[in-house]
Amino acid sequence: MLNKLLSVGVMVMLLLAAGGYFAANAKAAGQEGLGNTAGQAQAEAAAQQEVKEQVPPKATQRQQGRPKFNPENQEMREQARMKAKEIRQNKQADREQAATAAKAQREQARMRAKEIRQNKREIKELRETKQEKTKLARELIKTLRENPESFPEEKAVAVREQLRLIKENREKFAESLGRIRDESASLRENRRNNNAPGMKGNADNIFAVQEARIQILKEMITDLDELLALLT
């Protein structure tokens, strides 16, 4: 009986000890769980705060999206604008200058063409005068050849000298006609090719040759007048 009571007492003590152990473990586990839950909450709050700090507000984002005002950039843009304006003005000035030059060239060409026409008329008139005087001189020379005794030798020498001068000028006049023909052909070619500088050069050359031909004709007429004076 005593042994039975002792056995029951030992079992009760063991049960009480086991109950205290499990209660202590349960309490510790509960405290540990609470501690873990609080730590997780604090970690989540810290993470959310960090995200808020990293993501700026919309107003801040708009401000960050706009470039900051830079006086140097503003100055560069102003310089570029002024340079573009200067280029436009220079182009306009070049166009106006080209138009003025073209107008002046047309006026010069018109005046040169007018001078060439005037020279052609003068050359025609001088040639007609020369031909009339030449015809008269030939008739007088023919008459003198029929009556050589009526013409002194010294006059004959002077007549031959005048005839030599007239012949030289006649040859020069014929050569100048060839130069005018060459320049006229070149002028037509340049006109077909719309070569304004070339046409101007041809017109100037034609005018210069015409001036030389006029001078030759005048010299020939002077020589003919002297010849006629000797023959009469």
Side-chain angles (χ1 to χ4, degrees):
M1 184 67 179
L2 180 60
N3 291 332
K4 186 176 181 180
L5 290 173
L6 289 173
S7 298
V8 172
V10 171
M11 290 180 64
V12 170
M13 290 178 66
L14 290 175
L15 289 173
L16 290 174
Y21 173 78
F22 286 119
N25 286 341
K27 183 178 181 180
Q31 291 177 352
E32 184 178 358
L34 291 175
N36 290 339
T37 302
Q40 290 178 355
Q42 291 177 356
E44 290 178 359
Q48 291 177 358
Q49 182 64 28
E50 184 178 358
V51 170
K52 289 181 180 180
E53 292 177 355
Q54 291 179 357
V55 179
K58 292 184 178 180
T60 305
Q61 290 179 357
R62 287 195 297 269
Q63 292 176 357
Q64 291 179 352
R66 297 175 183 174
K68 293 183 179 180
F69 176 75
N70 190 336
E72 294 182 357
N73 292 341
Q74 180 67 20
E75 183 178 357
M76 291 175 62
R77 286 194 294 270
E78 182 64 19
Q79 290 177 354
R81 188 183 67 82
M82 295 299 296
K83 186 64 176 178
K85 181 179 179 181
E86 181 182 357
I87 292 173
R88 290 194 301 270
Q89 291 176 345
N90 290 338
K91 287 183 178 180
Q92 180 65 23
D94 291 342
R95 286 193 294 268
E96 292 176 355
Q97 184 177 1
T100 301
K103 183 178 179 180
Q105 289 178 355
R106 289 193 297 270
E107 182 63 19
Q108 291 176 357
R110 188 184 67 81
M111 294 299 298
R112 181 62 79 197
K114 182 179 179 181
E115 292 172 342
I116 289 174
R117 289 193 298 270
Q118 291 174 346
N119 280 349
K120 287 180 69 175
R121 287 193 295 268
E122 185 176 1
I123 289 172
K124 182 181 179 181
E125 293 172 358
L126 290 173
R127 290 187 68 180
E128 290 175 352
T129 301
K130 178 187 74 70
Q131 290 172 356
E132 292 175 358
K133 293 181 180 295
T134 300
K135 182 179 179 180
L136 180 57
R138 285 174 178 173
E139 291 175 354
L140 292 173
I141 291 173
K142 181 180 179 181
T143 301
L144 289 175
R145 284 177 178 175
E146 293 175 354
N147 300 291
E149 65 280 358
S150 63
F151 196 72
E153 182 60 26
E154 60 271 14
K155 280 191 175 183
V157 173
V159 167
R160 285 193 291 270
E161 178 62 18
Q162 289 303 119
L163 290 174
R164 185 187 66 80
L165 294 175
I166 292 171
K167 181 181 178 181
E168 288 181 357
N169 282 326
R170 186 185 297 115
E171 291 174 353
K172 292 179 182 178
F173 189 76
E175 292 175 359
S176 65
L177 179 61
R179 291 199 297 272
I180 283 186
R181 287 173 177 171
D182 293 340
E183 290 294 338
S184 297
S186 179
L187 176 62
R188 289 190 294 271
E189 181 67 20
N190 286 326
R191 184 179 291 115
R192 283 194 295 269
N193 296 329
N194 292 323
N195 183 358
M199 289 189 292
K200 181 181 182 302
N202 295 138
D204 290 342
N205 292 338
I206 290 173
F207 177 78
V209 175
Q210 284 181 331
E211 291 289 302
R213 283 167 66 82
I214 289 172
Q215 184 61 34
I216 293 172
L217 284 171
K218 289 180 178 180
E219 291 177 0
M220 291 175 68
I221 291 173
T222 300
D223 293 336
L224 284 168
D225 287 338
E226 293 179 3
L227 177 62
L228 291 173
L230 291 171
L231 294 174
T232 55

